[in-house]
Amino acid sequence: MRLYCGYGLVVRSEIALQDWAATEGSWDVDVRIGQTPCGLSPSTASGARWEVSPGCVLVRVDRIGRYLITGGKEIVVTPEDGATEAELAFGLLGAAIGPLLHQRGSLVLHASAINIPGGTVALAGHSGAGKSTLLLACLRRGGSMITDDMAPLDIDRAGPHVRVSPGIPLVNAWCDAAEHFGYQPSQLTPVRARLQKFKIRPETPCPAALQPLKAIVVLEPSRRPGIRCLPVSGQAAFVAVRAQTRGLRIVEALGRASHFHRVSNVASVVPVFRLERPDGPLGSLDALVDRVYSLADR
């Protein structure tokens, strides 16, 4: 069993998490190989590849295995035949860590986060919105990476403050984005076999401490020319933040009321913006980075 850190957690894992930072000391979460049920009984809610019962989430990842997440403290993994350790680690990050963080009280956004001179900005958006590509562009401009694709938010009601937990020091980029920034895909490790998405390790490591969140920017591809940046407030801000919750259906099955309060707290404290950009973001990256920097300076 080895110890790793990321997303505000210290994880003791039977699976090698090669992309995570190694650490020492006590741990918050155990990850082990073991037998998990094919289904939960009783199940209070379910989807095509997940089920929820009180205190538990069961997630299935095709051709990799099942992940049973319990009480925000343990993940038991049942591998499918032939699944490699790298694939098990991929499934753990993609399918299990998010629900576990929600069980522990975080609001986890489908977002990357970057620290720039004005503060830390979360770049939110659905798959394909350009979060990782814009993150790489901000890194090229001199920013420091906080996390890619999954941003756990810690809500301090006494402040009130919202902070982002640093993730793991890795950006997952599609082939065209990697080439745009001067990387050779043939020299990079694929995120998963036969997937044209590659792991890029930034030169500047993620900070160890929680970072105060200055703004949430929701990226929206648009067919209109040009870039538009619009502030979002009130009920619209709540709707925007809720929509960017990672694993929204699972989260609300775990507790709709608690999720409502977390989203309300974040939307009332952190400014939210909608950043529309033309389809095919590579040609407009410099202008998008300028907008992100200007929002952090407010």
Side-chain angles (χ1 to χ4, degrees), residues 15-53:
I15 299 167
L17 306 179
Q18 296 181 349
D19 297 325
W20 295 54
T23 191
E24 298 178 345
S26 59
W27 57 91
D28 308 299
V29 179
D30 267 316
V31 176
R32 61 181 178 85
I33 302 293
Q35 288 301 312
T36 59
C38 294
L40 296 179
S41 181
S43 171
T44 56
S46 63
R49 294 180 177 85
W50 59 269
E51 293 181 45
V52 169
S53 68

Side-chain angles (χ1 to χ4, degrees), residues 143-166:
S144 298
M145 176 180 172
I146 306 298
T147 187
D148 180 40
D149 199 53
M150 181 164 60
L153 304 187
D154 177 79
I155 305 161
D156 180 0
R157 295 181 181 86
H161 300 290
V162 175
R163 293 184 287 265
V164 187
S165 294

Side-chain angles (χ1 to χ4, degrees), residues 226-298:
I227 294 171
R228 298 177 62 199
C229 186
L230 304 171
V232 183
S233 60
Q235 180 68 17
F238 173 91
V239 171
V241 173
R242 176 184 175 274
Q244 300 306 322
T245 301
R246 189 180 174 98
L248 176 60
R249 291 184 63 200
I250 295 177
V251 172
E252 294 200 330
L254 286 168
R256 187 179 295 270
S258 60
H259 181 237
F260 177 93
H261 289 301
R262 290 173 200 169
V263 172
S264 296
N265 287 329
V266 169
S268 64
V269 171
V270 182
V272 180
F273 301 88
R274 189 172 77 248
L275 183 57
E276 295 182 1
R277 54 89 174 162
D279 279 329
L282 295 178
S284 56
L285 275 176
D286 286 340
L288 288 171
V289 173
D290 289 342
R291 291 297 182 98
V292 171
Y293 270 65
S294 68
L295 294 176
D297 284 334
R298 292 191 177 196

Side-chain angles (χ1 to χ4, degrees), residues 20-284:
W20 295 54
T23 191
E24 298 178 345
S26 59
W27 57 91
D28 308 299
V29 179
D30 267 316
V31 176
R32 61 181 178 85
I33 302 293
Q35 288 301 312
T36 59
C38 294
L40 296 179
S41 181
S43 171
T44 56
S46 63
R49 294 180 177 85
W50 59 269
E51 293 181 45
V52 169
S53 68
C56 295
V57 180
L58 180 67
V59 181
R60 307 171 192 86
V61 182
D62 289 345
R63 297 185 298 279
I64 292 180
R66 297 191 301 273
Y67 297 79
L68 180 65
I69 307 115
T70 305
K73 294 182 178 180
E74 182 183 66
I75 301 174
V76 180
V77 185
T78 303
E80 288 196 9
D81 291 343
T84 66
E85 199 164 39
E87 288 174 326
L88 295 176
F90 169 83
L92 180 82
L93 181 58
I97 293 296
L100 179 130
L101 287 165
H102 283 295
Q103 288 178 336
R104 296 179 66 88
S106 294
L107 175 64
V108 184
L109 296 187
H110 196 186
S112 302
I114 184 80
N115 185 263
I116 53 182
T120 294
V121 177
L123 308 172
H126 298 299
S127 297
K131 301 181 296 296
S132 299
T133 303
L134 185 52
L135 174 63
L136 287 170
C138 289
L139 290 173
R140 185 63 57 91
R141 186 74 67 90
S144 298
M145 176 180 172
I146 306 298
T147 187
D148 180 40
D149 199 53
M150 181 164 60
L153 304 187
D154 177 79
I155 305 161
D156 180 0
R157 295 181 181 86
H161 300 290
V162 175
R163 293 184 287 265
V164 187
S165 294
I168 60 176
L170 200 69
V171 182
N172 294 329
W174 292 104
C175 183
D176 59 344
E179 291 176 338
H180 178 84
F181 291 103
Y183 297 96
Q184 296 298 321
S186 61
Q187 299 176 3
L188 299 173
T189 302
V191 172
R192 191 177 181 185
R194 297 180 296 279
L195 183 65
Q196 290 298 300
K197 201 171 192 179
F198 300 90
K199 300 178 181 181
I200 296 174
R201 191 172 293 275
E203 296 179 3
T204 304
C206 300
L210 291 164
Q211 300 297 305
L213 185 59
K214 187 71 175 289
I216 296 171
V217 178
V218 180
L219 302 176
E220 293 187 358
S222 172
R223 293 183 178 179
R224 291 189 293 189
I227 294 171
R228 298 177 62 199
C229 186
L230 304 171
V232 183
S233 60
Q235 180 68 17
F238 173 91
V239 171
V241 173
R242 176 184 175 274
Q244 300 306 322
T245 301
R246 189 180 174 98
L248 176 60
R249 291 184 63 200
I250 295 177
V251 172
E252 294 200 330
L254 286 168
R256 187 179 295 270
S258 60
H259 181 237
F260 177 93
H261 289 301
R262 290 173 200 169
V263 172
S264 296
N265 287 329
V266 169
S268 64
V269 171
V270 182
V272 180
F273 301 88
R274 189 172 77 248
L275 183 57
E276 295 182 1
R277 54 89 174 162
D279 279 329
L282 295 178
S284 56

